[in-house]
Amino acid sequence: MTDEIKVPKGLANVVVDRTSIATTGASGNLLYRGYRAVDLADRKSFEEVAYLIVYGNLPSGDELVAFRARLNENMKLDERTIKVMDILKEKDIMRNLRSIVSLIPYRNGDINETFIQMEAKLPLISAYSAHAAYGKPMKNMEGEFFAEKFFSMIADPHKKKYWKSLEKLMILYMEHEFNASTFALRVAASTLTDPVSAVTAALATLKGPLHGGANSEVLSYLSGIRDEKDAAKFVEDKLSKKEKIMGFGHRVYKKKDPRAQYVKEELRRIAPDDPKFRAAEYVENYMFEKKGIPANVDLFAAVLMDFLGIDEVFNLPVFACSRIFGWNAHYSEQVSDNKLIRPAAEYSGPEERDL
Ligand code: SDX
């Protein structure tokens, strides 16, 4: 075909569609519907930002009350779901999320109603699957707010006074334009498949270590780093083996990930002497000064969740329980002005030949 356009591998820097939900590119700030995400993390609740992402504006008082109520009334698991998790005892919680989300019924034609079912239940599915797989006691869901309830099920109750730090992190994880899992969701949505199937595609994509899966590997290397010397040795060792260091680098942020910087300052405020926080700073300084590769959100997110007593099996589920609101907005945006996403390919196989 003559009208084919060749683009860089991985679609790097290729604009494939328009979106009004968020942008990472403008002023180096991540904007959610025009507001800086870091300002929203500072001053708004998780539910207010989720409403903004899904509906396009911050909610009025009444809209917020109604939205919170819809989430709360759906934050429960039915017997069938619990039975399936008790049978599966799946230790990989992301696999479990992908399997169990598929059980959520799709109410034909009502996108937001189906998404609210998934949004409300994902934190419970995460918490309960750890209980079913690892035998951990199922902590009671307590509190009034979405992030507070999630905190009560997965974090250290003695750190309860820091639950808003988890809320801020979840606000910053909520949406990120055409990242891999969101784009996978949009490809699925472009076929007009149902929202539950599209979210399953997104969860499967988020699981990859080059995308969401990074944050659970960060802690393992930080625990072995006590000073700059250790940091330098660790980095040089990894790079000499051509291995990627989790929590660093980004397709869009080449200088700094504003989310990483925000979470770093939140850690400096609540846990300045945490050894893993100091280790993360040592590695961050070396990676940027010597290699020009910035930390991404996952580096300090892993340290924060560790400080809050959140087991690392929940690191990626926390990301998913937040990003589903971004996926909600992208699913609606895709189907509202849809064209099937089906790129071309340059053929490099054998010439045509007779059998
Ligand atoms: C997230 O896209 C999003 O928005 C994602 C995300 C979101 O909110 O949805 O922001 C969340 O996924 C954050 C990223 C989490 N992933 C990791 O931390 C995994 C480690 N990071 C790398 O795999 C990498 O940085 C990527 C995949 C994130 C980005 O890779 P790119 O844009 O394809 O860049 P690249 O791999 O071509 O790297 C450019 C150069 C390479 O060197 P050369 O081969 O050209 O010599 O930088 C090097 C890379 O080797 N490099 C790294 C590195 N990241 C880049 N080297 C070591 N460790 C790293 N982490």
Side-chain angles (χ1 to χ4, degrees):
M1 278 164 23
T2 51
D3 55 353
E4 286 181 351
I5 308 159
K6 273 202 186 168
V7 295
K9 201 167 177 59
L11 296 181
N13 305 318
V14 175
V15 176
V16 292
D17 204 341
R18 295 161 64 94
T19 179
S20 64
I21 305 166
T23 180
T24 56
S27 51
N29 280 318
L30 169 58
L31 304 182
Y32 288 172
R33 303 283 189 185
Y35 297 107
R36 280 181 295 277
V38 292
D39 293 351
L40 292 163
D42 255 353
R43 295 154 54 188
K44 293 295 176 185
S45 67
F46 182 86
E47 293 92 325
E48 288 172 293
V49 182
Y51 189 97
L52 168 71
I53 288 286
V54 174
Y55 296 102
N57 291 299
L58 285 166
S60 66
D62 291 347
E63 287 164 336
L64 178 58
V65 167
F67 185 59
R68 254 197 191 114
R70 283 178 64 209
L71 280 170
N72 285 341
E73 71 203 27
N74 286 295
M75 284 189 97
K76 53 184 181 295
L77 297 177
D78 61 76
E79 271 312 302
R80 180 179 70 135
T81 303
I82 289 173
K83 272 206 189 87
V84 170
M85 286 198 272
D86 284 340
I87 293 166
L88 289 178
K89 296 198 182 322
E90 174 53 63
K91 290 194 180 324
D92 180 336
I93 297 186
M94 278 305 280
R95 269 170 68 93
N96 217 38
L97 285 188
R98 196 182 60 211
S99 314
I100 302 301
V101 153
S102 304
L103 302 178
I104 292 177
Y106 166 49
R107 288 178 176 67
N108 216 338
D110 191 338
I111 295 171
N112 287 336
E113 181 44 39
T114 304
F115 265 99
I116 207 124
Q117 293 297 324
M118 294 189 275
E119 290 153 355
K121 296 179 187 325
L122 227 44
L124 279 154
I125 295 169
S126 306
Y128 192 85
S129 55
H131 160 69
Y134 297 97
K136 293 173 186 281
M138 184 66 190
K139 293 178 186 150
N140 292 332
M141 182 170 71
E142 289 161 2
E144 189 192 339
F145 304 105
F146 189 85
E148 189 182 14
K149 288 170 185 274
F150 196 17
F151 184 98
S152 69
M153 292 190 285
I154 60 171
D156 176 353
H158 300 100
K159 297 282 177 73
K160 175 89 169 72
K161 65 179 178 182
Y162 298 115
W163 74 266
K164 277 192 172 288
S165 297
L166 176 66
E167 180 171 61
K168 293 170 190 288
L169 172 65
M170 289 185 73
I171 287 171
L172 295 174
Y173 260 145
M174 195 180 289
E175 158 59 9
H176 216 240
E177 196 204 74
F178 283 8
N179 60 87
S181 52
T182 298
F183 192 61
L185 173 117
R186 288 190 74 128
V187 170
S190 79
T191 70
L192 300 185
T193 191
D194 65 272
V196 176
S197 304
V199 165
T200 308
L203 285 166
T205 308
L206 181 64
K207 191 170 185 295
L210 293 190
H211 185 14
N215 60 21
S216 48
E217 298 190 21
V218 167
L219 288 180
S220 52
Y221 71 70
L222 286 182
S223 40
I225 290 168
R226 288 148 313 172
D227 53 29
E228 287 96 336
K229 217 154 74 345
D230 285 352
K233 185 174 175 313
F234 164 73
V235 169
E236 292 306 342
D237 183 45
K238 289 286 273 187
L239 298 187
S240 64
K241 289 186 277 186
K242 289 267 175 238
E243 288 173 9
K244 297 277 196 274
I245 300 169
M246 297 296 123
F248 286 91
H250 200 278
R251 177 60 58 82
V252 175
Y253 298 126
K254 295 306 180 191
K255 286 272 171 274
K256 75 175 165 70
D257 180 337
R259 303 166 300 176
Q261 298 313 309
Y262 185 95
V263 179
K264 176 166 79 169
E265 291 318 310
E266 182 69 5
L267 274 164
R268 199 187 308 284
R269 188 176 68 81
I270 66 173
D273 302 323
D274 181 296
K276 292 195 179 91
F277 170 54
R278 300 167 77 94
E281 283 203 294
Y282 293 139
V283 183
E284 179 193 25
N285 293 339
Y286 191 85
M287 274 291 271
F288 194 66
E289 278 150 33
K290 296 280 187 291
K291 307 294 168 192
I293 299 173
N296 62 51
V297 61
D298 287 336
L299 177 71
F300 293 105
V303 176
L304 175 63
M305 288 190 273
D306 179 66
F307 173 74
L308 297 176
I310 295 173
D311 191 294
E312 67 178 336
V313 297
F314 291 120
N315 280 12
L316 191 41
V318 164
F319 191 152
C321 290
S322 175
R323 187 57 56 92
I324 185 152
F325 291 90
W327 294 338
N328 187 162
H330 280 276
Y331 183 97
S332 300
E333 186 174 72
Q334 180 66 40
V335 299
S336 66
D337 176 16
N338 189 41
K339 184 159 179 64
L340 177 68
I341 298 174
R342 197 280 187 213
E346 182 183 16
Y347 178 63
S348 60
E351 288 303 313
E352 186 174 351
R353 53 185 167 167
D354 295 332
L355 190 55

